[in-house]
Amino acid sequence: MNKVFVSLAAILLLCLSACSPFHEADEICDKTPRIFPDYSGITLPANIAPINFEIHESASAYEAIIGCGDDVPIMISSTDSIISIPIDEWHSLLEKAKGKDIFIRVLLEQEGKWIQYKDIINNVANSDIDPVLAYRLLYPGYEFWDEMGIYQRNLTSFEETAIVENKDFGGQCVNCHSFANRDSKTMMLHVRGKSGGTIIARDGNINKVNPQPESYPRGGTYPYWSADGRYIVFSSNDVHQYFHQAGKKKIEVSDFASDLIVYDVEKNETFTDSLVFGDKYMETFPCFTPDGKTIYFCRADAYKEGMPLDSIRYGLYAIDFDVQNHRLCNLRCIVDAPKEGHSVSFPRVSPDGKWLIYTQSDYGNFSIWHAEADLWLLNIATGETRLMTEVNSNDVDSYHSWSSNGEWFVFSSKRMDGLWARPFIAHFDSTTGKVSRPFLLPQENPQFYNNFTRTFNIPELVKGEIANGKEIINAINIQEAQRATEKR
């Protein structure tokens, strides 16, 4: 590999002007070059890591010129097809280009001639995205638990670190990481197995709790924090997993029963209401509104023995939360998806409380295995919904989370190969509800996704680095050792 990056000062010495390429083009091509990932026609956060890419055009030499207007700070020459953008110059360009377009000009040496392709144009937003993305990495079959962990990626660079890995707990399952208002210091996760429990980090303290009083048949499963970090609303699920011998859906996950419960973190108390707890319905995937006054969730008729799994469908519901009296009231249906032959999962409200994104599939609620799963947008004020055609694909588009400024969201998609879920990022206009073309999470090596065999699960945007991973591990192991001593 032979790459050359030329700084602006060197360019000024070597070229007649800053806009001059390394080589004058012998021919101009009106075709945009094929690159992977396809970073073209997208809107970028002003703090995102370099969008390194591979050129999928045959050539003996490659050049890429990246700039904004007459400002061309980045020129890269390479004998292979991978374009690695220097991080300092990239961030300097983004800072200057806020609210403007940047171009990527590709020149290729083909059969002894330098061919200049049509410029790739992208927009740089005026806003940043939350700088950290937390996710679980595991093999896509979900039946192998020997290598799994929850990790964090710095979105301004390529640094990835482990928060916790299941090897730290004897190979047990770790899942359902969740943050209060995207705060890295207020979080929870589940550890399943002999040392299991719900781990809560808050106010500098880390504790293993059990939000399941004796009168409740099931514990907390899928969580969502109130923005103030006081409450966690859980769905309490009886989950079953099925493996199909044939067909496109390799795995199906379904509830046999589920209810909603609210856990008071300060008082270590759990409460609920008959409106969302009982044998008549199944409630799952709850989320608080930013003001903490409403809980959105998914609801289906109760499962009956022998019922076909593809007949279970969830609608989108809401219920008010009376904080003062720990009371749930005013239950209402927001989107009657079953009436139209569809099912809803993963409602998530925008930070300004105006919009809600949810996943819609043909049936069930574990949409990660449903190729037909798409993202939908609800205008909370008007009740209008629409298919988010800007971001959806012909394969799974499912779990999603908002950035704290409401201008970005990340979602998991299997659009590349139908097997591995990978994180895509899109810009959101909170005034119009319009969404930009999504782009794949940048990696230092653009060939990363061709070789990586684990799936990105539950991508959550976070406002800062999660620095207490080792403390979480130590707290769990110490508490487990204490329990073992007490039993003796």
Side-chain angles (χ1 to χ4, degrees):
M1 182 184 296
N2 182 17
K3 294 183 183 293
V4 176
F5 165 69
V6 180
S7 67
L8 181 57
I11 295 170
L12 291 172
L13 293 174
L14 293 172
C15 306
L16 293 176
S17 73
C19 293
S20 298
F22 288 90
H23 291 88
E24 292 291 339
D26 297 308
E27 293 182 12
I28 304 295
C29 177
D30 63 357
K31 185 179 76 169
T32 303
R34 293 173 298 147
I35 64 172
F36 178 81
D38 183 7
Y39 294 134
S40 61
I42 59 177
T43 298
L44 295 164
N47 61 336
I48 197 70
I51 51 173
N52 296 340
F53 59 89
E54 181 178 17
I55 300 172
H56 283 187
E57 305 286 352
S58 297
S60 55
Y62 304 79
E63 292 180 355
I65 303 166
I66 306 174
C68 175
D70 293 332
D71 183 20
V72 188
I74 301 172
M75 300 181 75
I76 301 165
S77 178
S78 176
T79 56
D80 68 28
S81 59
I82 293 179
I83 301 300
S84 297
I85 304 170
I87 191 167
D88 290 341
E89 287 76 7
W90 170 255
H91 281 301
S92 177
L93 172 63
L94 294 188
E95 181 63 29
K96 295 177 182 177
K98 284 183 177 180
K100 303 175 184 178
D101 288 342
I102 61 172
F103 66 84
I104 301 174
R105 184 168 301 150
V106 171
L107 289 92
L108 306 180
E109 187 178 23
Q110 298 171 325
E111 299 180 352
K113 295 182 179 181
W114 280 95
I115 311 299
Q116 179 179 317
Y117 282 71
K118 187 177 180 180
D119 287 357
I120 295 169
I121 305 297
N122 296 313
N123 181 257
V124 179
N126 284 305
S127 62
D128 291 348
I129 193 171
D130 287 342
V132 173
L133 184 67
Y135 43 80
R136 184 170 63 151
L137 293 177
L138 72 166
Y139 291 105
Y142 293 87
E143 68 270 26
F144 300 111
W145 309 107
D146 59 335
E147 188 177 342
M148 176 199 303
I150 299 174
Y151 301 82
Q152 58 183 334
R153 162 68 189 276
N154 186 328
L155 295 184
T156 70
S157 67
F158 301 108
E159 182 183 7
E160 180 188 74
T161 56
I163 301 172
V164 295
E165 295 177 302
N166 68 336
K167 65 182 180 181
D168 300 314
F169 314 108
Q172 297 166 189
C173 174
V174 291
N175 64 2
C176 293
H177 51 282
S178 180
F179 302 86
N181 198 26
R182 302 160 195 87
D183 180 4
S184 61
K185 297 178 181 178
T186 308
M187 67 170 294
M188 63 141 288
L189 58 88
H190 290 311
V191 177
R192 310 289 186 187
K194 64 178 182 180
S195 302
T198 297
I199 313 304
I200 292 180
R202 183 175 180 267
D203 296 333
N205 299 312
I206 300 171
N207 294 293
K208 184 191 295 186
V209 303
N210 178 21
Q212 180 188 4
E214 292 183 2
S215 59
Y216 289 65
R218 297 171 298 276
T221 306
Y222 303 122
Y224 198 95
W225 289 80
S226 60
D228 60 5
R230 170 73 183 270
Y231 301 97
I232 306 175
V233 57
F234 289 96
S235 58
S236 177
N237 304 64
D238 179 14
V239 179
H240 292 253
Q241 186 170 258
Y242 302 88
F243 297 90
H244 300 304
Q245 294 181 341
K248 292 183 178 180
K249 292 184 177 73
K250 302 293 187 295
I251 297 175
E252 185 62 61
V253 178
S254 182
D255 285 338
F256 275 9
S258 56
D259 300 291
L260 297 190
I261 58 176
V262 179
Y263 178 66
D264 186 333
V265 179
E266 290 185 2
K267 295 184 176 181
N268 190 28
E269 294 177 355
T270 302
F271 58 94
T272 187
D273 189 278
S274 59
L275 289 172
V276 291
F277 194 99
D279 297 332
K280 190 175 181 180
Y281 300 101
M282 298 187 294
E283 293 88 3
T284 191
F285 293 135
C287 77
F288 275 107
T289 52
D291 60 10
K293 295 180 179 180
T294 303
I295 297 171
Y296 284 89
F297 61 96
C298 307
R299 178 186 240 193
D301 290 337
Y303 173 81
K304 295 180 176 59
E305 188 174 354
M307 177 186 292
L309 297 182
D310 60 6
S311 69
I312 302 173
R313 293 184 173 89
Y314 292 76
L316 177 64
Y317 283 74
I319 194 167
D320 292 340
F321 177 38
D322 180 350
V323 178
Q324 298 298 324
N325 300 303
H326 281 186
R327 181 170 170 263
L328 300 171
C329 56
N330 190 24
L331 175 70
R332 64 263 189 204
C333 179
I334 305 300
V335 177
D336 192 357
K339 185 178 180 180
E340 304 297 327
H342 300 295
S343 190
V344 166
S345 58
F346 303 130
R348 292 292 184 266
V349 181
S350 62
D352 61 9
K354 296 179 180 179
W355 306 92
L356 184 149
I357 297 177
Y358 61 92
T359 304
Q360 182 170 287
S361 55
D362 287 348
Y363 65 91
N365 66 74
F366 206 79
S367 51
I368 196 65
W369 287 105
H370 287 245
E372 79 282 0
D374 284 322
L375 298 182
W376 283 68
L377 182 68
L378 166 70
N379 183 323
I380 292 177
T382 66
E384 295 178 352
T385 64
R386 71 170 183 89
L387 178 68
M388 300 177 74
T389 54
E390 307 98 319
V391 301
N392 289 314
S393 68
N394 292 327
D395 217 301
V396 178
D397 299 295
S398 183
Y399 193 90
H400 46 277
S401 69
W402 293 89
S403 184
S404 57
N405 58 14
E407 295 191 31
W408 305 93
F409 66 92
V410 62
F411 65 98
S412 61
S413 177
K414 293 186 177 180
R415 66 187 61 196
M416 290 175 60
D417 50 32
L419 180 60
W420 286 283
R422 299 172 173 103
F424 284 75
I425 298 169
H427 180 258
F428 183 82
D429 187 328
S430 60
T431 301
T432 64
K434 298 297 183 182
V435 187
S436 70
R437 184 170 180 263
F439 64 91
L440 185 61
L441 173 67
Q443 299 289 347
E444 187 168 17
N445 183 349
Q447 295 179 335
F448 170 87
Y449 294 103
N450 297 330
N451 306 311
F452 192 68
T453 57
R454 286 194 282 174
T455 197
F456 288 77
N457 182 244
I458 314 181
E460 288 283 347
L461 287 164
V462 190
K463 290 183 286 190
E465 179 186 0
I466 298 95
N468 56 356
K470 291 184 179 179
E471 296 174 13
I472 292 173
I473 294 167
N474 291 337
I476 295 171
N477 290 332
I478 290 172
Q479 290 179 23
E480 188 61 28
Q482 291 173 343
R483 291 184 183 182
T485 302
E486 291 171 359
K487 288 182 180 179
R488 294 195 195 105

